[in-house]
Amino acid sequence: MSDLDQLRVELGARGYPILIGTGLLDEADRHLAPRLARPRAFIVTDDHVAAAGHAARLERALARAGVATATLVLPPGEATKDFHHLRQLLERLLDHRPERADTVVALGGGVVGDLAGLAAALLLRGVPLVQVPTTLLAQVDSAVGGKTGIDTRHGKNLVGAFKQPALVLVDLTTLDTLPPRELRAGLAEVVKYGCIRDAAFFDWLEAEGVGVLAGRRAAQRHAVRRSLEIKAAIVARDERETGGERALLNFGHTFAHAFEALAGYDGRLLHGEAVACGMVLAARLSAHLGHAPATAAERLTALLTALGLPTSVHELGLEPAPERVLAAMRHDKKVRGGRLHFVLWRGPGTAFLADDVPEEAVRDVLAAG
Ligand code: NAD
Ligand code: GLY
C-alpha cells in the first residue's frame, strides 16, 4: 500500500478528501470504489493519457472492486475545451444510459478536468464527479476547487459551472510520463502559491524546486501537498470567489490570460508559461506602483529562470503592442464595473487585490518588457 497524504476541502456537506500518493491509480479499488454511490463509472480521458497507460491502470483496479467502467477518450489539447466537444461528450455519455448515481471520473490534465467536470454538472442535471489529475498543473490547481468550463470565441473559461468533486485522487506516478515542458509549466502554478501565501514555501522552491523537475518524488510530493493545502484553505473560505480571497489565485493571470488570447489558444503557448511571465509583470507592476521593492520582482524572475520558465513577453514568442494586451485584458472575467483587477504583491507570500491600477502603469510595465 502506498504512503498516503490526506487533505480535505472543508465545504460542509459538500466537503471532500484529497488523497496524494504513489500508485493510487492501481489502488483505486481501495481508494475510489468504496466512495462511489453506485458501482458504475465513466472515465473521461484524452489520447495522451490513455496512451501512457493510466486509463488501463484505473480500469483494472476498478474492475477488481466490481465497478463497471466505460472509458471515453477525447482528443488532447485546449481546442477540446469547446461547445462541440462538450456536446459530443454529453451525447456519448447519454449513449450509455447513465443514472444519477453514476460517477464521471476525469482522468487527465486541466482540459479533461474542466470539460468532464462541466459535463458531470450538466448530465441528468448533475452526477457525481471524481477528479484524477495527471498533470502537475491539474494536481496543484485545476482538479481542486470546483471550477469547470469551456472556451468560446469570446475568451477562455467564459462558460462553465462550479461543480465540486466528491474526491480528488492525486497519483504522483502519472508525472513520470508527462512531457518535461508540461511539468515545468505546472511548476509555475506551484510558484504562484509561494508568491501569494507562503514566503517559506517560496524559499523552499528556490532551494528544491529543480528537484520537482528532476523527478525527485519527495520534492514532488511536498510541492503538490503544500500547494493543495493553500488552495483547499482558500476555496473553503471563498468558494465562489465572492470574498476577494480566491481571486488571489489569479496572481499573474490578468497578464497571462491576455497573452493566451493574443497567442490564439493554438497550443504553442502553455498556460503555465503565460502565468510565469504574468507573475513577473505583476511583481514589476507592484514595484512600479510602490507596493513592493524591485528586488522582489528580481527574485521571482531568478526563481522562474532557474526552473526554465519564461519571464518576458519576448520569451513567450509574442511581440504585442501594450495597447493590444490592454484590449485583451478588458475582455477577461477579471473586469468588474469596467475596471481592470490585478493581484499585486508586497513580496513573496503577500499578495493582495487591487482594483485601482491606472492603465498607464500597466502600459509602462509592458513597454519596459
Ligand atoms: P492539458 O490538460 O492540455 O494537459 C497537457 C498535455 O499533457 C496534454 O497534451 C495532455 O494530453 C498531456 N498529458 C496529461 N497528463 C499526462 C500524463 N500523465 N502523461 C503524458 N501526457 C499527459 O493541460 P493542463 O496544463 O493540465 O491544463 C490546462 C487547462 O487547465 C487550461 O484549459 C486551463 O484553463 C485549465 N485550468 C483550470 C483551472 C480550474 O480551476 N478549473 C485552473 C487552472 C487551469
Ligand atoms: N485557478 C483559480 C481558481 O481555482 O480559482
Side-chain angles (χ1 to χ4, degrees), residues 69-145:
T69 58
T71 299
L72 293 86
V73 185
L74 303 166
E78 186 72 26
T80 298
K81 249 179 70 173
D82 68 356
F83 278 117
H84 169 74
H85 290 92
L86 175 65
R87 180 187 166 162
Q88 208 174 55
L89 175 58
L90 285 167
E91 299 279 14
R92 286 171 69 193
L93 286 164
L94 288 167
D95 287 342
H96 288 276
R97 299 188 170 277
E99 294 185 17
R100 276 244 172 91
D102 292 343
T103 296
V104 168
V105 179
L107 173 71
V111 165
V112 166
D114 281 10
L115 183 69
L118 182 55
L122 296 172
L123 187 69
L124 307 180
R125 298 202 181 91
V127 301
L129 168 70
V130 168
Q131 291 277 6
V132 186
T134 63
T135 63
L136 183 59
L137 181 137
Q139 293 181 354
V140 300
D141 190 355
S142 60
V144 168

Side-chain angles (χ1 to χ4, degrees), residues 141 144-145 147 192 231 235 241 246 249-250 253:
D141 190 355
V144 168
K147 284 188 182 177
K192 178 187 79 180
K231 177 146 191 185
V235 169
E241 207 169 308
R246 185 161 182 172
L249 294 170
N250 291 326
H253 284 56

